[in-house]
């Protein structure tokens, strides 16, 4: 039975939404806003192979080179400018540490909102009913002493990763046939589920390609898709 033929687990219970605030300037998204002119907002966060996560941030009120200089000293961050605006840009952060959103993801929570203004950061994440939310919160606060739990509430279900109309709008116009095939296979296999049901290696084996080829296609497809979705107006 192929990965695509497996029955994907459905979320049948509620999720816990938690919100944290923090002012620790060792985190780049907080440090970038301390001068009072820059605003940092997470557009989307997606898993990558090798225990990494790609975080796409919109930053306004700053010059892109300032962000690149600020993040250059972090060994656990790979930062690239995807699109430059008049007063900012869309950045991709490939994180393997030094990031509270990364920590939450590794603990089993799904970061949905990350925003920083005037030197204060805020993170909203969702925790599946299959995880112990209190344990995740406790471990996150232990690892991030500066963080404060602002709220904890129950919701009916997870927020969607992509809006269907926006996704369909760019899927066929921006991606190659091969990129669409790999992206669809990854989605069907549960690569984008949280927690993840299939690794990049699993999907690659099912497609009959190497892990390196899978990574190349999936990263290119994600970058094209997310750059369009969060840089240009889309009809919902």
């Amino acid at each position: 039975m192929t990965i695509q033929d497996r029955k994907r687990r459905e979320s049948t219970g509620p999720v816990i939404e938690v919100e944290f605030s923090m002012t620790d300037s060792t985190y780049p998204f907080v440090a970038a806003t301390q001068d009072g002119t820059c605003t940092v907002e997470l557009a989307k966060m997606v898993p990558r192979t090798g225990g990494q996560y790609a975080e796409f941030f919109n930053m306004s009120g700053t010059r892109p080179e300032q962000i690149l200089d600020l993040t250059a000293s972090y060994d656990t961050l790979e930062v690239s400018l995807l699109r430059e605006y008049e007063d900012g840009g869309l950045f991709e952060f490939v994180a393997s540490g030094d990031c509270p959103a990364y920590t939450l993801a590794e603990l089993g929570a799904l970061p949905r909102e990350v925003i920083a203004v005037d030197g204060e950061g805020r993170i909203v994440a969702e925790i599946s009913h299959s995880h112990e939310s209190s344990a995740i919160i406790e471990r996150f606060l232990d690892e991030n002493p500066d963080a404060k739990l602002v709220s904890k509430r129950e919701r009916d279900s997870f927020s969607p990763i992509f809006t269907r109309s926006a996704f369909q709008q760019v899927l066929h116009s921006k991606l190659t046939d091969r990129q669409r095939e790999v992206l669809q296979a990854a989605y069907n296999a549960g690569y984008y589920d949280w927690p993840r049901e299939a690794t990049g290696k699993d999907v690659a084996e099912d497609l009959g390609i190497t892990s390196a080829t899978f990574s190349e296609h999936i990263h290119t497809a994600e970058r094209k898709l997310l750059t369009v979705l969060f840089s240009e107006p889309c009809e919902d």
Side-chain angles (χ1 to χ4, degrees), residues 178 182 200 204 207-220:
R178 189 55 164 163
V182 171
L207 289 171
I209 59 178
T210 66
S211 294
T213 300
F214 169 80
S215 295
E216 178 184 352
H217 286 308
I218 202 75
H219 294 176
T220 301

Side-chain angles (χ1 to χ4, degrees), residues 28 59 66-75 77 79 93:
M59 300 188 178
Q66 288 182 311
I67 301 300
L68 296 175
D69 289 343
L70 175 67
T71 56
S73 62
Y74 290 84
D75 294 334
L77 294 175
V79 182
F93 284 55

Side-chain angles (χ1 to χ4, degrees), residues 113-224:
E113 296 179 29
V114 180
I115 188 169
V117 181
D118 294 332
E120 181 176 359
R122 182 174 66 87
I123 299 179
V124 176
E126 296 172 350
I127 303 172
S128 168
H129 68 285
S130 62
H131 286 67
E132 179 53 57
S133 60
S134 297
I136 290 176
I137 293 170
E138 182 178 355
R139 285 191 59 187
F140 179 76
L141 293 175
D142 286 343
E143 295 183 25
N144 299 269
D146 171 72
K148 296 179 180 179
L149 179 63
V150 176
S151 65
K152 176 183 176 183
R153 51 186 172 268
E154 186 175 288
R155 294 186 54 187
D156 292 335
S157 62
F158 279 108
S159 304
I161 291 180
F162 297 109
T163 59
R164 177 177 293 273
S165 58
F167 181 83
Q168 293 294 337
Q169 182 177 351
V170 300
L171 185 60
H172 292 282
S173 62
K174 297 297 182 180
L175 305 185
T176 66
D177 291 343
R178 189 55 164 163
Q179 289 164 359
R180 287 196 299 271
E181 178 187 10
V182 171
L183 192 66
Q184 185 70 53
Y187 178 81
N188 289 341
Y191 179 79
Y192 291 106
D193 286 356
W194 215 284
R196 181 183 285 178
E197 292 190 354
T199 66
K201 182 180 179 181
D202 293 332
V203 182
E205 289 179 350
D206 193 57
L207 289 171
I209 59 178
T210 66
S211 294
T213 300
F214 169 80
S215 295
E216 178 184 352
H217 286 308
I218 202 75
H219 294 176
T220 301
E222 288 172 354
R223 176 171 290 195
K224 286 182 178 179

Side-chain angles (χ1 to χ4, degrees), residues 48-130:
R48 284 281 175 86
T49 56
Q52 297 180 320
Y53 295 85
E55 303 171 5
F56 296 84
F57 282 98
N58 274 311
M59 300 188 178
S60 59
T62 186
R63 291 181 292 108
E65 55 267 28
Q66 288 182 311
I67 301 300
L68 296 175
D69 289 343
L70 175 67
T71 56
S73 62
Y74 290 84
D75 294 334
T76 55
L77 294 175
E78 297 177 17
V79 182
S80 56
L81 175 64
L82 300 184
R83 181 162 298 185
E84 185 171 355
Y85 309 139
E86 182 176 346
D87 65 339
L90 175 67
F91 293 82
E92 179 185 21
F93 284 55
V94 179
S96 56
D98 291 316
C99 174
Y102 170 88
T103 301
L104 281 168
E106 286 293 279
L107 291 174
L110 176 55
R112 286 303 192 185
E113 296 179 29
V114 180
I115 188 169
V117 181
D118 294 332
E120 181 176 359
R122 182 174 66 87
I123 299 179
V124 176
E126 296 172 350
I127 303 172
S128 168
H129 68 285
S130 62

